[in-house]
C-alpha cells in the first residue's frame, strides 16, 4: 500500500500548506514545504559542539567551584606543588576527554555494533590499564612533592573510568538511535512526496472536473443516482490511495 493511516496528519498538514499558497502549483508548493523542513537549532553542528564544550567545562570546574564549601580555613599561600598539581589535572582532563570520544566514536561502532563483545571487553581493559599507567606516571613526574599511593590512585581512576565509559557508550547509542529515527522520518517524508506526485499523475484534473459537474447535475435534479455515484467515486479514490501500486 502506498499510504498508511499514521501519515494522514502529515497529508493534512501539506494540504493546508498548499491551500495557503494558491499562487503556486501544487507540486511547487509541496517542494517548498519539504525545503522548509530543517533540523531544529539544537541539532545543528554548532549547537552540539557548543553543548559539549560547555558540559566539559562545567564538569572540570566543579572541583574548583566546590572546594571552598569544604574548607573553613583562610586563604593559603600558593605553592609550587599546587601549580604542578593543576597542570597534572589539566593534562588528565584532556586525556579523559580523549578516552570519552575514542570509546564513543571508535570502540563502540567497531565492537558493540558488530557484536564483538569479548573484543570490546578486552579493549576496555587495555584502555583502563593504559589510562592508569599514564596517570601514575604523570603524577610521579609532575607532583613530585607528594608521596604516590597506589591504592587511592587506582580507586579514584577506576571510578572516573567507569563514569567516562558509561557516559560515552550511552551517548553514542542514544545519539545513533535519534539519528536513525530522524533518517527514517525523512525517508517517510520523501516517500510521501513521491506518493503524492504519483497520485497527482493518476488523478486527471479533467476527469475530476467532469465527475464533479455530473454530481452537481444529479444533485440539482434530486436524482436517486447521486448517492451510488458518490459511493463509487469514494471507492475509486480509496483504491487509488490505499491499494494502487
Amino acid at each position: 500500500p502506498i499510504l498508511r493511516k499514521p501519515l494522514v496528519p502529515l497529508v493534512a498538514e501539506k494540504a493546508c500548506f498548499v491551500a495557503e499558497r494558491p499562487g503556486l502549483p501544487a507540486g511547487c508548493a509541496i517542494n517548498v514545504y519539504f525545503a522548509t523542513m530543517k533540523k531544529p537549532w539544537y541539532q545543528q553542528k554548532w549547537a552540539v559542539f557548543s553543548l559539549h564544550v560547555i558540559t566539559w567545562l562545567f564538569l572540570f570546574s566543579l572541583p574548583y567551584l566546590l572546594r571552598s564549601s569544604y574548607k573553613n580555613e583562610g586563604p593559603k599561600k600558593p605553592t609550587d606543588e599546587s601549580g604542578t598539581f593543576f597542570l597534572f589535572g589539566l593534562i588528565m582532563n584532556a586525556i579523559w576527554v580523549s578516552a570519552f570520544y575514542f570509546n564513543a566514536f571508535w570502540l563502540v561502532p567497531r565492537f558493540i555494533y558488530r557484536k564483538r563483545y569479548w573484543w570490546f571487553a578486552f579493549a576496555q581493559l587495555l584502555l583502563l590499564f593504559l589510562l592508569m599507567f599514564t596517570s601514575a606516571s604523570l603524577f610521579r613526574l609532575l607532583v613530585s612533592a607528594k608521596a604516590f599511593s597506589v591504592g587511592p590512585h587506582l580507586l579514584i581512576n577506576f571510578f572516573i573510568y567507569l563514569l567516562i565509559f558509561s557516559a560515552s557508550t550511552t551517548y553514542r547509542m542514544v545519539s545513533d538511535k535519534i539519528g536513525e529515527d530522524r533518517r527514517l522520518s525523512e525517508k517517510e517524508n520523501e516517500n510521501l512526496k513521491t506518493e503524492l506526485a504519483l497520485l497527482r499523475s493518476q488523478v486527471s484534473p479533467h476527469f475530476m472536473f467532469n465527475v464533479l459537474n455530473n454530481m452537481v447535475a444529479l444533485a440539482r435534479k434530486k436524482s436517486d443516482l447521486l448517492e451510488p455515484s458518490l459511493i463509487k467515486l469514494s471507492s475509486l479514490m480509496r483504491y487509488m490511495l490505499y491499494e494502487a501500486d
Side-chain angles (χ1 to χ4, degrees):
I2 293 180
L3 296 177
R4 295 290 187 271
K5 289 184 179 179
L7 297 178
V8 170
L10 192 58
V11 175
E13 182 181 353
K14 289 172 178 55
C16 294
F17 187 89
V18 174
E20 292 172 357
R21 290 156 177 81
L24 286 177
C28 295
I30 292 176
N31 289 335
V32 172
Y33 175 86
F34 279 99
T36 56
M37 292 178 61
K38 297 180 178 179
K39 292 181 181 179
W41 66 269
Y42 54 84
Q43 292 181 355
Q44 300 290 336
K45 291 183 178 180
W46 65 268
V48 175
F49 177 80
S50 302
L51 180 61
H52 281 229
V53 172
I54 292 173
T55 302
W56 286 119
L57 290 177
F58 174 75
L59 290 176
F60 292 150
S61 62
L62 276 179
Y64 303 97
L65 295 175
L66 299 177
R67 180 181 300 176
S68 59
S69 63
Y70 293 98
K71 290 185 177 181
N72 297 323
E73 309 145 358
K76 294 182 178 181
K77 295 181 180 180
T79 61
D80 295 338
E81 179 185 333
S82 62
T84 56
F85 193 83
F86 176 79
L87 179 60
F88 166 76
L90 192 64
I91 296 175
M92 284 307 304
N93 287 341
I95 293 176
W96 287 122
V97 172
S98 302
F100 177 93
Y101 291 109
F102 177 73
N103 179 68
F105 292 100
W106 201 86
L107 294 180
V108 172
R110 282 162 178 76
F111 296 118
I112 291 293
Y113 290 170
R114 298 178 183 178
K115 298 182 179 180
R116 298 177 180 176
Y117 302 116
W118 288 108
W119 282 104
F120 181 72
F122 174 75
Q124 293 299 328
L125 291 176
L126 180 61
L127 181 61
L128 176 61
F129 172 77
L130 291 175
L131 288 172
M132 287 191 172
F133 177 78
T134 303
S135 177
S137 301
L138 288 174
F139 192 92
R140 289 177 178 272
L141 179 64
L142 297 177
V143 192
S144 57
K146 277 185 175 281
F148 178 75
S149 179
V150 178
H153 179 81
L154 294 179
L155 185 63
I156 292 173
N157 282 277
F158 178 73
F159 280 108
I160 295 177
Y161 175 79
L162 284 182
L163 177 62
I164 293 293
F165 163 75
S166 304
S168 62
T169 304
T170 303
Y171 163 75
R172 180 56 192 255
M173 300 185 75
V174 170
S175 61
D176 285 347
K177 181 63 170 62
I178 294 174
E180 182 65 21
D181 291 342
R182 184 172 62 249
R183 284 189 293 271
L184 290 176
S185 177
E186 292 174 354
K187 184 178 179 180
E188 287 183 356
N189 291 337
E190 290 297 327
N191 290 339
L192 181 59
K193 181 180 178 181
T194 304
E195 292 158 7
L196 291 174
L198 177 61
L199 289 176
R200 289 197 305 271
S201 65
Q202 290 177 343
V203 180
S204 171
H206 185 66
F207 166 77
M208 293 300 299
F209 178 75
N210 290 336
V211 170
L212 293 176
N213 278 340
N214 291 334
M215 296 296 177
V216 171
L218 292 175
R220 288 175 178 174
K221 294 179 180 180
K222 298 182 180 180
S223 173
D224 296 335
L225 298 175
L226 178 60
E227 182 178 353
S229 298
L230 288 173
I231 293 174
K232 289 181 180 180
L233 178 61
S234 175
S235 301
L236 175 63
M237 299 302 296
R238 185 180 297 108
Y239 171 80
M240 296 177 68
L241 286 173
Y242 297 108
E243 299 180 16
D245 293 330

